[in-house]
Amino acid sequence: MLEIGCGSGAFTTFVARAVGPTGKVYALDIEPKMLDQLKAKLARPENRDIKNIELINKSAYELPFADASLDAVYMVTVFQEIPDRNRALGEIKRVLKPGGFLGITELFPDPDYPWKSTTIKQVTAQGFLLDGSSGNFWNYTVRFRKAQ
Ligand SMILES: C[S@@+](CC[C@H](N)C(=O)[O-])C[C@H]1O[C@@H](n2cnc3c(N)ncnc32)[C@H](O)[C@@H]1O
């Protein structure tokens, strides 16, 4: 899995444990300082069991992965921070396997918070298929799929 804009890793450790030892989470962020914070978090005693996170300092515009190589990509309160969202979606589509998932989570207090309908419109306009959503007005996750 790839988390774009992992920040200090508020969600990354949960996902790493969920995918288990045979899975892997690439934690990518454009800001080295955020990755330093995640590195420090992973060094804490309670997280020493986590061995399946790889930190990557890159932008969403240049994902360092082969075409059709990832099962899932997700972002939490990141998508609206990316100025050229279509370019990022193009990269995400390139690296996802056919049928792979894209999850976008938004939380209301975030200054860039978009309506769920806005997120769906932006992403499906680039050819992703809407696969479902969960949550409520205050926080939601929309799941998309790359076509088979
Ligand atoms: C609001 S924070 C969210 C951090 C984390 N996902 C969370 O929910 O705690 C947004 C993060 O996205 C990163 N970011 C913004 N634009 C980016 C881009 N174009 N490529 C990669 N990361 C980006 C920022 O550096 C920041 O760490």
Side-chain angles (χ1 to χ4, degrees):
M1 297 189 67
L2 165 65
E3 177 173 6
I4 296 178
C6 58
S8 59
F11 299 92
T12 321
T13 50
F14 294 100
V15 175
R17 287 197 173 97
V19 301
T22 58
K24 180 153 187 169
V25 180
Y26 296 99
L28 177 141
D29 204 287
I30 200 167
E31 282 289 341
K33 275 185 294 187
M34 302 313 293
L35 293 173
D36 287 346
Q37 289 182 30
L38 174 52
K39 204 170 171 185
K41 182 176 181 177
L42 293 175
R44 285 189 217 142
E46 67 270 25
N47 290 325
R48 295 238 171 96
D49 59 305
I50 299 177
K51 312 246 181 262
N52 59 348
I53 297 178
E54 183 175 329
L55 280 57
I56 300 175
N57 180 212
K58 286 273 184 197
S59 112
Y61 300 149
E62 40 173 3
L63 303 177
F65 301 100
D67 296 358
S69 60
L70 299 179
D71 293 310
V73 176
Y74 70 98
M75 296 181 251
V76 182
T77 64
V78 173
F79 189 46
Q80 299 301 320
E81 282 195 18
I82 301 174
D84 190 344
R85 285 181 284 278
N86 288 350
R87 185 173 166 195
L89 288 171
E91 261 300 84
I92 292 167
K93 203 191 283 178
R94 180 185 69 74
V95 300
L96 273 177
K97 294 176 184 171
F101 289 105
L102 166 62
I104 296 189
T105 299
E106 301 291 352
L107 311 176
F108 182 67
D110 190 85
D112 304 309
Y113 174 84
W115 297 98
K116 185 162 81 174
S117 56
T118 302
T119 299
I120 291 173
K121 204 167 155 187
Q122 289 171 339
V123 178
T124 56
Q126 298 308 309
F128 284 86
L129 308 173
L130 178 61
D131 193 63
S133 69
S134 57
N136 50 45
F137 174 80
W138 309 100
N139 60 75
Y140 66 80
T141 296
V142 191
R143 197 175 60 246
F144 303 91
R145 266 182 190 272
K146 175 177 165 177
Q148 288 282 354

